Amino acid sequence: MSEEKKQVTEEKEQETTQELSETWAQDALADLEDWIEEQGIYIRQ
């Protein structure tokens, strides 16, 4: 039973990895900066 759970977990990890774009980190930073600005906080750049 634990082997089945392990296989399912590994398959989900592979699916998640394949869905990420090459610029996922930049996209995440941009989303985070937008959210921060929506909260009324502006970051000097």
Side-chain angles (χ1 to χ4, degrees):
M1 183 106 174
S2 62
E3 290 179 20
E4 291 175 8
K5 288 183 180 179
K6 197 174 192 179
Q7 286 179 337
V8 170
T9 304
E10 288 176 3
E11 289 173 3
K12 287 182 181 178
E13 288 176 1
Q14 288 175 354
E15 289 174 5
T16 303
T17 304
Q18 292 173 354
E19 292 174 7
L20 293 176
S21 68
E22 294 180 10
T23 59
W24 68 268
Q26 292 173 342
D27 296 342
L29 284 173
D31 289 344
L32 182 58
E33 288 176 357
D34 290 343
W35 181 83
I36 290 172
E37 287 181 359
E38 287 175 3
Q39 304 307 310
I41 302 168
Y42 293 91
I43 301 172
R44 273 190 270 167
Q45 292 187 0

